[in-house]
Amino acid sequence: MCGIVGYVGGQSALDVVIAGLKRLEYRGYDSSGVAVLADGGLAAAKKAGKLVNLEKELVGRPLPAGATGIGHTRWATHGGPTDANAHPHLDNAGRVAVVHNGIIENFAGLRAELAERGHELGSETDTEVVAHLLAESFSSCGDLAEAMRLVCRQLDGAFTLVAVHADEPDVVVGARRNSPLVVGVGEGEAFLASDVAAFISRTRSAIELGQDQVVEVRRDGEGGGAAGVSVSVTDFYGAPGEARSYRIDWDASAAEKGGYDYFMLKEIAEQPKAVADTLLGRIDAGGALRLDELRIPDSVLREVDKVVVVACGTAFHAGMIAKLAVEHWTRIPCETELASEFRYRDPILDARTLVIAISQSGETMDTLMALRHAREQGAKVLAVCNTNGSTIPRESDAVLYTHAGPEIAVASTKAFLTQLVACYLVALYLAQVRGAKWGDEVRDVVRELSEISGEVERVLETMEPVRELARSLAGKRTVLFLGRHVGYPVALEGALKLKELAYMHAEGFAAGELKHGPIALIEDGLPVVVVVPSPRGRSVLHDKIVSNIQEIRARGARTIVIAEEGDEAVVPYADHLIRIPATPTLLQPLVSTVPLQVFACELATARGNEVDQPRNLAKSVTVE
Ligand code: F6R
């Protein structure tokens, strides 16, 4: 949700900032802009639409060369995606430029006060007030970092702000509250960015900023940064701030397409490795689980009497499956709740509740607010997260990282599979420490989990017919998805992928609910994807879903059946049969989701849609 880059160093700031924005474009792509300090002044360019529009603008109207600059790629909140609303925003004198991610909740009052003091504001954004306030404060204190501190104290809401001032040509200043900002420290250069992807090709040394901190990066300064650049961090009142340095363990190629047409295709293909990596180092030589990073003592986990999973979107679907695993393996009651609804219903939480907050980005505001609420009520919060140093793990009692590597495509794929693996690990660990499962039972499931990565690989090798089928359905308006038990969240996930990528009406249902209403939707030729549970294990569910398939087919549906190898009962009723390897019941989503990802991606491509950047969306939703 908005990508931000700031740079000071020895290179062309414009080139570095544009390269960074390209890697952050997944965060928002309604408009973009840059500002560069050069020749004692400030030059800016901004354009509605994708970054390519800005690049064209810069060819026609080049900016002067400078080595300090900022840039922004936007997901619009206040004000439509126009040139005027694009960031950076400047003060009336054109000396200060600011880019922003988040929402300034009290902007209307501030704007009115600025207007009274004679400022002219030309956009509909909340951000522009910050440029004017910074200009005012700078004129009284003559120091951009101090001006930023003064301004932040006046702001309500969530914000990452990055600013430059023409009178301080060697300085970029940033601030954060409830919104991400990381510092990259290279050789004689430093970066401020929403996410490490922006600078990973130039440095792997990063500094994680805390809540309510202001950072100043200065060329040729003194302090803790690399030679030629200093980095200083304070709170909003100027007291020195603590900031953790860390090494980014992704390499630069992880944020490249690597020969694939889309990041999504690459990320789908990376799933076997992502699944295997998420298990790495978490199983000891005897096959038992070791989750040393779980900073919640076993004694506390033994006392847990309720588990609540909170998450949004795809991560919520992972949470629905986590519920089934937690309850089955530990017998602790577990509920899964949309993070955006959670705190508004006054949930019953206490010190014996374990809340699991699942988030790829670690920045989703709804999830963050849910976990804060849970902690305020005394619950312990465990984050399942893919992004090192992000806000959600930082504010949780413990974190289990999913090792999916950077997920750039807006539609989540490999993060989902690794969230499932992490949730299975948490559920099994709970069962292990509480003695709800015997050691050999835990080891059996862990062994089955270790084999899954190979099975995901096998699924990926057989996807050509799925792609062909998807292309043949490009003209359809609606696709329905049915599932039961773990297949139900998979059906919801299949529908979500299709909605967000192909812009088609897609709905997932619990197959048993069909006869309570949705069956009225079935008409001749309507494609219906059915995720079939294994005929082994819970065979009663299998038989019921075979009946459901017959019911919809009798009413004209074109059935697309996802069933495990060897399940012959479905064959007579499947217009299209997608085979998946046989797995234990609870682990089936790790293989059954993959064809649905491929299906949505191919269908979107066939409809001419932008797969990595679907309309109206952005990765990492940092507003509520
Ligand atoms: C869908 C998708 C979203 C995210 C949701 C939560 O493909 O990616 O539904 O799953 O916005 O995001 P995180 O996991 O970053 O909290």
Side-chain angles (χ1 to χ4, degrees):
M1 194 133 289
C2 299
I4 286 179
V5 188
Y7 176 75
V8 273
Q11 308 286 312
S12 153
L14 186 61
D15 293 349
V16 174
V17 167
I18 293 278
L21 290 181
K22 279 189 184 153
R23 291 174 185 261
L24 295 187
E25 204 180 5
Y26 69 90
R27 299 180 68 90
Y29 30 85
D30 290 341
S31 62
S32 57
V34 285
V36 170
L37 298 184
D39 310 331
L42 183 154
K46 49 193 201 170
K47 208 71 203 149
K50 297 216 162 167
L51 191 55
V52 58
N53 294 4
L54 175 68
E55 290 184 281
K56 281 189 203 140
E57 166 85 2
L58 289 166
V59 171
R61 199 174 60 82
L63 298 187
T68 304
I70 59 174
H72 188 262
T73 174
R74 178 169 187 244
W75 186 86
T77 52
H78 289 76
T82 61
D83 288 357
N85 290 335
H87 301 205
H89 288 281
L90 274 55
D91 66 318
N92 286 144
R95 302 294 287 170
V96 60
V98 65
V99 292
H100 167 219
N101 175 30
I103 293 180
I104 313 273
E105 284 164 4
N106 57 336
F107 88 100
L110 293 169
R111 192 184 170 103
E113 287 164 22
L114 283 163
E116 265 175 36
R117 296 201 291 273
H119 292 259
E120 285 173 23
L121 285 90
S123 79
E124 302 156 292
T125 67
D126 50 345
T127 309
E128 196 180 3
V129 298
V130 178
H132 290 258
L133 291 171
L134 277 174
E136 275 188 348
S137 296
F138 186 89
S139 66
S140 60
C141 70
D143 176 304
L144 187 57
E146 178 58 12
M148 183 64 93
R149 287 187 280 271
L150 291 166
V151 172
C152 287
R153 303 205 297 255
Q154 301 172 53
L155 304 179
D156 295 335
F159 48 85
T160 297
L161 296 163
V162 170
V164 288
H165 197 294
D167 290 355
E168 289 209 81
D170 297 320
V171 171
V172 179
V173 164
R176 74 169 289 264
R177 168 179 286 167
N178 289 336
S179 175
L181 180 64
V182 279
V183 184
V185 185
E187 282 297 311
E189 58 185 9
F191 309 80
L192 298 183
S194 312
D195 165 336
V196 298
F199 54 75
I200 194 165
S201 62
R202 302 186 71 91
T203 180
R204 289 168 74 177
S205 300
I207 299 175
E208 174 188 310
L209 292 179
Q211 178 74 329
D212 284 8
Q213 288 189 332
V214 167
V215 58
E216 177 197 84
V217 291
R218 178 181 288 272
R219 192 182 6 250
D220 287 325
E222 291 160 11
V229 185
S230 67
V231 178
S232 36
V233 178
T234 68
D235 67 13
F236 285 175
Y237 293 87
E242 277 187 23
R244 183 181 73 98
S245 298
Y246 65 103
R247 191 150 175 80
I248 304 158
D249 56 8
W250 302 341
D251 66 20
S253 66
E256 306 282 355
K257 281 190 199 148
Y260 289 88
D261 288 344
Y262 307 110
F263 278 109
M264 185 174 176
L265 290 172
K266 178 183 174 230
E267 288 160 11
I268 289 173
E270 284 171 345
Q271 293 185 111
K273 181 171 182 315
V275 165
D277 286 353
T278 301
L279 290 169
L280 223 62
R282 290 169 171 167
I283 301 165
D284 72 15
L289 277 177
R290 293 202 48 174
L291 301 184
D292 296 339
E293 67 260 61
L294 271 200
R295 295 182 308 253
I296 304 176
D298 287 357
S299 56
V300 174
L301 294 178
R302 277 189 208 105
E303 292 303 308
V304 166
D305 65 3
K306 180 164 82 165
V307 177
V308 179
V309 186
V310 290
C312 301
T314 289
F316 173 72
H317 299 150
M320 290 175 76
I321 295 162
K323 168 190 160 71
L324 299 174
V326 167
E327 291 192 336
H328 185 69
W329 287 330
T330 71
R331 309 308 296 154
I332 310 172
C334 178
E335 38 191 81
T336 297
E337 179 106 22
L338 286 169
S340 53
E341 292 289 325
F342 181 65
R343 68 186 170 125
Y344 300 105
R345 69 158 174 92
D346 198 10
I348 301 163
L349 303 161
D350 60 31
R352 296 181 69 183
T353 312
L354 175 68
V355 171
I356 303 177
I358 309 175
S359 175
Q360 186 286 128
S361 61
E363 300 293 349
T364 300
M365 186 59 82
D366 291 315
T367 311
L368 179 62
M369 290 305 177
L371 82 83
R372 281 188 185 161
H373 181 77
R375 291 195 77 197
E376 277 161 17
Q377 312 301 308
K380 286 270 176 286
V381 177
L382 165 66
V384 167
C385 184
N386 194 42
T387 312
N388 199 319
S390 55
T391 311
I392 288 174
R394 253 203 341 261
E395 295 202 15
S396 298
D397 295 287
V399 55
L400 193 68
Y401 280 109
T402 52
H403 295 152
E407 191 178 67
I408 310 278
V410 165
S412 190
T413 53
K414 60 177 180 171
F416 176 71
L417 260 57
T418 58
Q419 284 161 355
L420 289 179
V421 172
C423 289
Y424 293 138
L425 291 179
V426 172
L428 283 174
Y429 189 73
L430 279 172
Q432 184 175 287
V433 299
R434 297 163 66 95
K437 283 238 164 276
W438 298 106
D440 56 340
E441 291 175 305
V442 172
R443 275 192 291 277
D444 282 349
V445 186
V446 165
R447 183 184 37 75
E448 285 159 345
L449 259 177
S450 321
E451 288 163 6
I452 284 280
S453 140
E455 305 295 9
V456 176
E457 187 81 64
R458 279 213 298 134
V459 175
L460 287 169
E461 283 161 9
T462 58
M463 285 296 95
E464 196 41 47
V466 173
R467 282 189 277 270
E468 210 171 288
L469 171 66
R471 289 193 291 271
S472 76
L473 298 177
K476 294 282 181 188
R477 290 167 59 89
T478 296
V479 181
L480 302 184
F481 295 77
L482 305 180
R484 297 189 85 123
H485 189 247
V486 289
Y488 171 43
V490 171
L492 294 177
E493 176 60 8
L496 176 62
K497 288 279 111 55
L498 203 61
K499 275 179 240 188
E500 68 179 325
L501 293 167
Y503 317 150
M504 288 168 80
H505 171 230
E507 272 194 78
F509 297 108
E513 278 296 293
L514 262 193
K515 54 192 175 298
H516 300 292
I519 201 162
L521 291 169
I522 306 292
E523 57 188 21
D524 226 20
L526 181 81
V528 184
V529 179
V530 189
V531 185
V532 179
S534 169
R536 302 161 300 116
R538 267 157 224 264
S539 58
V540 55
L541 270 186
H542 174 268
D543 299 348
K544 293 220 157 51
I545 213 161
V546 174
S547 304
N548 296 144
I549 303 173
Q550 292 176 54
E551 287 155 16
I552 55 171
R553 200 154 181 267
R555 289 162 176 82
R558 181 169 164 187
T559 57
I560 302 164
V561 175
I562 301 181
E564 76 172 38
E565 285 156 356
D567 179 354
E568 295 308 318
V570 294
V571 175
Y573 315 112
D575 293 311
H576 305 272
L577 186 56
I578 300 171
R579 286 296 190 188
I580 51 173
T583 59
T585 305
L586 278 167
L587 306 190
Q588 196 203 48
L590 289 167
V591 289
S592 56
T593 310
V594 176
L596 300 181
Q597 299 166 341
V598 172
F599 180 74
C601 184
E602 189 69 20
L603 221 154
T605 311
R607 286 164 74 96
N609 296 355
E610 289 258 11
V611 169
D612 284 340
Q613 295 172 350
R615 70 183 180 203
N616 303 336
L617 287 172
K619 193 103 181 148
S620 179
V621 185
T622 54
V623 292
E624 263 192 284

